[in-house]
């Protein structure tokens, strides 16, 4: 049976904290080319729009269009 020591040694436990995860995120973003950053931000915006609940304003606008 393989030893779990090799897997445990390979884990960077400093990344398992909120602060460590944030540092790693900033490190990765700082190495990313601008074009990839913009594409990633656009993808995140599309996902946020899909996951966000409809706003009351959006419902009111939709009702106004139906009435006309």
């Amino acid at each position: 049976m393989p030893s779990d020591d090799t897997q445990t040694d390979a884990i960077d436990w400093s990344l398992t904290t909120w602060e460590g995860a944030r540092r790693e995120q900033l490190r990765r973003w700082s190495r990313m080319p601008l074009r990839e950053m913009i594409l990633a931000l656009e993808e995140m915006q599309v996902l946020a729009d899909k996951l966000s609940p409809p706003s009351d304003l959006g419902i009111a606008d939709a009702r106004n269009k139906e009435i006309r």
Side-chain angles (χ1 to χ4, degrees):
M1 181 165 199
S3 172
D4 288 336
D5 292 337
T6 56
Q7 289 180 345
T8 305
D9 293 339
I11 297 172
D12 184 1
W13 291 104
S14 68
L15 301 177
T16 61
T17 63
W18 290 108
E19 185 179 333
R22 181 69 179 151
R23 269 195 319 267
E24 178 64 14
Q25 181 184 39
L26 289 172
R27 185 188 67 77
R28 288 182 186 191
W29 273 90
S30 69
R31 292 183 176 183
M32 190 181 292
L34 180 60
R35 179 179 171 82
E36 288 183 27
M37 279 186 204
I38 293 170
L39 289 173
L41 289 169
E42 289 174 349
E43 289 176 9
M44 287 187 268
Q45 182 62 52
V46 169
L47 181 60
D49 291 342
K50 288 181 180 179
L51 295 176
S52 66
S55 67
D56 291 337
L57 181 60
I59 293 171
D61 287 343
R63 288 183 184 153
N64 288 337
K65 288 179 183 176
E66 289 176 4
I67 294 172
R68 292 181 187 169

